Amino acid sequence: MTSATQTLILRDPRLIYRFDAVLSLTMGIALLALASPLASLIGWAPMHTVLLGAGLFLFPWALSNWTLGAAIGPDRFSLAANLLGDGLWVLLSVFLLVLYSAQMTAIGVTFIAAQALAVSVVFAIKLAGFKTLPA
């Protein structure tokens, strides 16, 4: 992690939660609106249902992130639960790739891998901020 990123985290560790909230809301809207064409591009038949489910999940996830980002002193349990959610998202994405990438197009594999990588970066930034909190 760069020193600029570390400085930003230390200056306002809640910023990443607000950023994640905006990204999650945007992605949720996009997944719901574009589930059919994205599923066709990805090439795996059940992906339409997966995209709709993920899109619906991202609305309360965005609200949760926004709430954490707006809180004066969010408790460690809420932050740890949020980290767990990000970690599970990445693991489920990798699970999809391991089990079904042979049935996906190259665009589909790239899409799943790219969003998993993006969530991994957000997870790493949140984890760095979490580690700075007193126990």
Side-chain angles (χ1 to χ4, degrees):
M1 188 175 309
T2 66
S3 62
T5 304
Q6 290 170 333
T7 302
L8 183 59
I9 291 167
L10 294 176
R11 187 176 309 142
D12 187 0
R14 297 174 300 168
L15 180 62
I16 189 63
Y17 292 92
R18 290 181 286 223
F19 178 71
D20 194 10
V22 172
L23 286 179
S24 296
L25 181 62
T26 303
M27 185 70 158
I29 292 168
L31 290 178
L32 290 177
L34 302 171
S36 291
L38 279 174
S40 295
L41 282 173
I42 291 169
W44 181 52
M47 189 50 75
H48 183 266
T49 303
V50 172
L51 292 173
L52 288 176
L56 289 173
F57 167 79
L58 286 171
F59 287 100
W61 185 252
L63 179 61
S64 167
N65 274 289
W66 189 262
T67 302
L68 286 171
I72 299 299
D75 63 285
R76 287 182 66 85
F77 177 79
S78 297
L79 296 173
N82 187 275
L83 281 167
L84 179 64
D86 282 337
L88 286 173
W89 184 280
V90 173
L91 285 175
L92 288 172
S93 297
V94 170
F95 176 76
L96 276 174
L97 287 173
V98 168
L99 291 179
Y100 302 107
S101 63
Q103 300 168 21
M104 295 181 190
T105 64
I107 292 172
V109 171
T110 303
F111 176 79
I112 301 296
Q115 61 80 34
L117 180 62
V119 175
S120 295
V121 170
V122 169
F123 173 85
I125 295 169
K126 286 179 183 179
L127 182 61
F130 183 78
K131 289 180 177 181
T132 65
L133 296 174

